[in-house]
Amino acid sequence: VLSILGDAAAALPTVRKAWLAPETEDRPAYVLALIGMILGILSVREMTFSSYAFNVYLLIVSGALVTILYLPRASSHIEPTA
């Protein structure tokens, strides 16, 4: 649990930067990380909380980052009308 909290604190600046400036992030790297997290969960052999918790957390963070980077968002830029 402490490793999840520590990593979450470290992930917050990355998520913030991805939200504010998504064009500066390497999108394919986050997709590969998400695929890696899925494979990591599938490779767990023991069905215990400690076996799954950190992998599930990483899957959630990776999924959130991929979603932030790939889903179109409404622009705050207002086009002038003619």
Side-chain angles (χ1 to χ4, degrees), residues 2-3 5 8 11-13 16-22 24 26 30-32 38 45 47 52 55-56 65 75:
L2 291 178
S3 61
L5 292 174
L12 286 176
R16 182 177 184 272
K17 181 176 174 267
W19 182 263
L20 296 175
T24 64
D26 185 14
Y30 288 106
V31 172
L32 288 174
I38 293 168
R45 293 181 186 215
M47 296 185 82
Y52 281 103
N55 285 327
V56 170
L65 284 166
S75 175

Side-chain angles (χ1 to χ4, degrees), residues 2 11 14-15 21 25 33 42 47 50 53 61-62 64-65 67-68 81:
L2 291 178
T14 303
V15 173
E25 297 293 338
L42 294 175
M47 296 185 82
S50 60
V61 171
S62 295
L65 284 166
T67 302
I68 288 169
T81 57

Side-chain angles (χ1 to χ4, degrees), residues 18-76:
W19 182 263
L20 296 175
E23 66 281 354
T24 64
E25 297 293 338
D26 185 14
R27 291 178 179 193
Y30 288 106
V31 172
L32 288 174
L34 179 61
I35 292 168
M37 297 314 125
I38 293 168
L39 293 174
I41 288 175
L42 294 175
S43 69
V44 173
R45 293 181 186 215
E46 292 181 42
M47 296 185 82
T48 62
F49 175 78
S50 60
S51 296
Y52 281 103
F54 195 69
N55 285 327
V56 170
Y57 156 74
L58 290 174
L59 177 68
I60 291 168
V61 171
S62 295
L65 284 166
V66 168
T67 302
I68 288 169
L69 294 174
Y70 279 97
L71 280 185
R73 291 183 279 161
S75 175
S76 61

